[in-house]
Amino acid sequence: MERASLSAAARKDPTPHGSVAPTLVDFCRELRDEGMNVGTSELLDAFDALERVDWTRREDFREALAATIAKSQEDRHLFELVFDRFFFRAAEAEALANRAELGGELTGVQDRAGEGEPGDRGEAADGGQEASEQFDADALRQAILDAIERGDDAALRDLARLSIMTLGGAPSSGVLGVDVQRVRRALQLRSQDLPPGEEGAAQRKQLQQFERHVRRELEAALIAQTGKLPTVRPLNELNRALPSSGAQDLAAVHRSVKMLKRAMATQGLEHRGHQRTGAVDVRHTMRASLQTGGVPINLRYRPRRPRRPELFVLCDVSTSVTSASVFFLSILHALHDSFKRLRSFVFIERVAEVTEVFEKARAFAEVSERISKTAGVADISGYTDYGRVWADLYEQVADDFDPRSTLIVLGDARTNGRDPRADLFGAVAEKAGRTFWLNPEPTLYWNYGDSVIGVYEKHCDGVYECWTSKQLEGFVRELTTTRRR
Amino acid sequence: MAVDQAKPGATAAGAESAEALGAGLEAVGYLPSDTVSLVSYLAIQMGKPVLVEGPAGVGKTELAKALARHTGRELVRLQCYEGLDEAKALYEWNYKKQLLRIQTGAAGDGQATDQWDSVSDNIFSEEFLLERPLLHAIASSDPVVLLIDEIDRTAHEFEALLLEILSDFQVSIPELGRIEARTHPIVLLTSNDSRELTEALKRRCLYLWLDYPAPERELEIVRLHVPELDEQVAKRLVEIVRMVRELDVKKPPSIAESIDWARTLLLLGAKQIDRETFEQTLSIIVKHRTDLDLVAERVGVKLADRGAGPAGA
C-alpha cells in the first residue's frame, strides 16, 4: 500500500524522464528497508532536484539524490552503501535481460563491456584482450602501484578489470572474498609495501578501493556466469558503523544515558495509580483522630518514597576490550553527568573505584587519561581476572549494596582461562537489587573460547550486546519497557 | 502564494548551472567543492533551505556570506544561542511606541470611546512591529540570503517556530494575520552537529555535509587568500595542519586558522617551516593549553631543526 501511494506521488509529478520514477521509488524502498527515514516529501524533492541537474553524470545524480534524501551523516553513509548496491544490481539486471534477448551469442566480458557503461568499458575490454598476452603480473603490479600513488580512481577500475582477465584463468571458487584475495596475492599487493605513516594512509585507502573494484568486477562476472542476481543481504552493523570520531559518539551516548535516567527515576512508581498507599502511619492517624474526638476514622498512610536509583557501574578496561573501552568510558562519563548517586569502578586484574576522578574532572579526554595513569588496576599480566575482581568487589563494596541498587557490568566476560568464580558473582548480584551486563562482543562470539558470559548470565537480570550507541539506546529502551519479575 | 511572484531562482544571477554558480562563488573568494556548488544551485533553484552540517571551522558560515556576495543580496544573519525566542528571532511589538501612541491619544480630546477603537486598531499595525531577523528576511522587498547560524544551540521548541517560515515562507502574527514573503530568500542553516535536529526540520531542508577540504583544495584556498606566500611553504603548512587535525585535539584548526597562520608566516618572512618557527607560531592554529603540548610533542618533532636540511630530523 505504501508503495502504491509512493508510485502515485511519483506519477503525479510530470517528470520528463518517467522511466526513472519507478527505479527511484524502488531505491527509496530499499533505503527504508535499511532503516532510513525516507518520506514522500523527500522523494518528491528528489524528483524536483533531478529535473534541475544534468543527471547524466553519475556524481551529480548521486549528490542531488543524497542532498534531498539523506539528512544526516549517518544517513549519508548508509545512502552511499545502498546506492552502490542498488544501482550495481540494477545495471547487472539490465545487462542480464539484454543478454537473454541477444540469445547469448556473446560471451563473458565482451558482452558486459558492450552494455554496461558504453565508452570506458569497451576500451578496457579491447585493451584487455591484447594485454593479457603481453602484460605479465609484474608490469600489472607496477601499473597498479602507480595508479595508487596518483590516486587515479578510473585507472584503478580499469586495472582491476585487467588483472582479473590476466589472472582470472583459474576457475572461480564461487566465494568472492577468496577470489579477491587470490588476485591480491598473485599481484603481491601488500599494504606493508606502501610507505608507512601519514603519507601511506591515502595510498592504503586507494589499495582498499582497488580491492573494492576487484570485488565488484568479480561479482559482475559471477552474475554473468550464473545468469542470476545474488539475493540482497541487509547491511550489518559493521557496514553501518561510521568511522566516527569519539566526539560524535559521545553526544549519542549522552542522549541514551539521559533516557536511562528518566527510566530509572520512574522505576518503582508504577503502582502509583491503584495502590497509592502503603503502611498505616500510626502517629499521623492518631493526630488526625483528634478532629473526630479521638476516634480514628480516617486512616493515614505513610507516603511511598520513590525509588532513588543507586548505580554501581563496573567497567573493564583491559586490552581485550580496548576498542570498546573508549565507548565504555564515555558511557561512564555520561552516567556521571546525569546521576548523583553513582559509583563507578574500573577493573582489569583488580577493582579500583574511579568515582572521584569523574567528579573532579569534566573533560572526557582528561578523565580517560587519568584513569589509565592512576587507577592501578593492572598487576602483571594485564589480562582480566574476573574471579579476583568479584572477590575484591565482594569484600570491599558489596556491603554498600542494597535491594534498591543497580549493578551494571561492562565487560566481555573473557577470563583468559582463569576461574570465573561465578559463585562470587552470584553473591554480589544477590546483594544488588538488579544486575545487568553489557557485552561489547557480538552475540555470535559469546561462550566461544574463553568467554564465560553464559555462566554469569544466570545471575543477571539481563545481558545485552552493546558496542554502539544505538545498542545502548536499545538497552535503555528494554529497561524501561520490561518490568522485573 | 505570494512566493510565486518572485519565482525562486529567477532573481539569482549567475545560477544557470551548478558549474556557473561554482565559478561565481570562486570569483568572490570561496572555493566550493562540486557537491557544495551543486547543492547550493539546487537550493536556489528549488527554493529550499539548506541544512549545512560539519565540524567547526570548515566554512559553513563563509558559504552563506559568499552566496550573498555572489548574488549581490543582503545577508541577514540570525545567530542562535540557548534561550533564543520568538521575540528576538521573529518579531516583537514595540511596547514603548505603543504606550506613547496611547498616551497621545488620551491627551487629545475627551471622546474616549471613539478613541478606543482607533487606538486599539492602530497600535497593532506594522508601524509598531519590530522586525527581527527572520521577519526581516521574508518581509524585505529585496531578496536576501538568510543565515540561521548554529541552529543546534537552540532548544527543540525553536525549531518548531522555524517550520512555518522554512516551508511556506510566511509568518503568522496573531494580531495582524499572516505575513507572506515578498521575495524568496536563500536560506542556510548551519549546525555543528552537537545535537540531533528534529525530523520535521530536516524534512524541509536539503542536506549538505561539509568536511575539511582535501589537501589540494585547502592549498588552493590558502593560496587564494595569501597569494604572496611561497608555494612550498604553503604546501608544507597545509600538510602540518592536516597532521594536527588527525591528532585527537580539543579544537582542530579551522580553515580560517590555516589562512591566519599563512599570513603570520608571510609577515615573519619564513622561508620554510622549521621546528622553531612552528613552535613560535603554534598558538595560531592550536588554542588549548593541553593541545599545545600534544601538538608540539607529536608534530613538532617531525620538523627539521633550523639550519638542518629538510631531510634532517
Side-chain angles (χ1 to χ4, degrees), chain B residues 272 275 301-305 307-313:
Chain B
Q272 67 177 50
R275 196 191 299 186
V301 292
K302 287 185 188 163
L303 300 171
D305 283 319

Side-chain angles (χ1 to χ4, degrees), chain A residues 37-39 41-42 45-46 48-50 52-53 57 59-61 63-64 66-68 70-74 76 198 248 251 255 363 365, chain B residues 8 18-19 34-35 38-39 41-42 45-46 48 51 53 193-196 199 202-209 211 243 246 248 250 302:
Chain A
N37 228 338
V38 187
S41 65
E42 267 100 353
D45 280 349
D48 195 4
L50 285 184
R52 295 166 199 273
V53 296
R57 263 183 52 193
E59 292 302 305
D60 285 354
F61 179 72
E63 292 302 328
T68 44
K71 298 283 169 79
S72 71
Q73 217 199 348
E74 289 87 23
R76 179 64 207 252
E198 281 105 13
Q248 276 176 2
R255 254 200 321 277
Chain B
E19 286 79 25
D34 287 350
T35 314
L38 181 72
V39 174
Y41 169 73
L42 283 178
Q45 288 290 311
M46 295 167 72
K48 286 210 132 208
L51 173 62
E53 278 191 327
D193 205 20
S194 72
R195 74 173 171 83
E196 191 84 358
E199 281 292 320
K202 284 184 181 175
R203 183 146 290 161
R204 284 163 174 79
C205 300
L206 300 178
Y207 183 79
L208 175 64
W209 171 265
D211 214 332
M243 274 197 269
E246 270 165 18
D248 184 23
K250 273 186 186 148
K302 287 185 188 163

Side-chain angles (χ1 to χ4, degrees), chain A residues 157-327:
Chain A
R157 198 167 55 197
D158 291 344
L159 284 168
R161 219 169 288 142
L162 202 60
S163 40
I164 290 168
M165 277 182 288
T166 330
L167 307 160
S172 161
S173 65
V175 182
L176 283 177
V178 175
D179 287 347
V180 172
Q181 286 313 313
R182 195 167 50 102
V183 170
R184 195 174 153 176
R185 221 172 310 123
L187 289 171
Q188 297 185 331
L189 290 170
R190 282 183 310 230
S191 48
Q192 295 97 288
D193 297 344
L194 298 173
E198 281 105 13
E199 307 97 74
Q203 298 194 21
R204 270 194 293 278
K205 219 173 258 171
Q206 286 294 327
L207 183 61
Q208 283 171 10
Q209 183 65 29
F210 174 70
E211 262 178 55
R212 262 196 293 276
H213 284 313
V214 171
R215 171 175 281 268
R216 188 123 286 191
E217 289 302 322
L218 283 171
E219 205 173 333
L222 194 68
I223 291 168
Q225 200 183 358
T226 54
K228 59 173 187 277
L229 290 174
T231 49
V232 181
R233 225 174 289 143
L235 301 170
N236 60 29
E237 279 298 324
L238 263 175
N239 290 339
R240 255 166 225 261
L242 270 182
S244 64
S245 61
Q248 276 176 2
D249 240 342
L250 210 57
V253 169
H254 272 262
R255 254 200 321 277
S256 341
V257 165
K258 277 209 187 96
M259 273 169 67
L260 178 68
K261 188 186 182 187
R262 270 205 302 276
M264 304 273 287
T266 50
Q267 283 288 338
L269 295 183
E270 52 264 45
H271 294 306
R272 272 207 156 167
H274 41 94
Q275 208 187 349
R276 193 187 313 256
T277 48
V280 173
D281 185 344
V282 179
R283 230 175 85 104
H284 201 175
T285 309
M286 292 315 285
R287 276 180 63 181
S289 74
L290 292 179
Q291 290 182 336
T292 48
V295 185
I297 291 174
N298 295 320
L299 283 182
R300 300 292 152 143
Y301 299 94
R302 273 204 200 105
R304 265 177 178 262
R305 300 248 175 272
R307 176 193 195 116
R308 222 194 261 153
E310 188 165 325
L311 272 178
F312 291 82
V313 185
L314 278 134
C315 176
D316 188 348
V317 288
S318 72
T319 44
S320 62
V321 286
T322 317
S323 50
S325 59
V326 172
F327 176 63

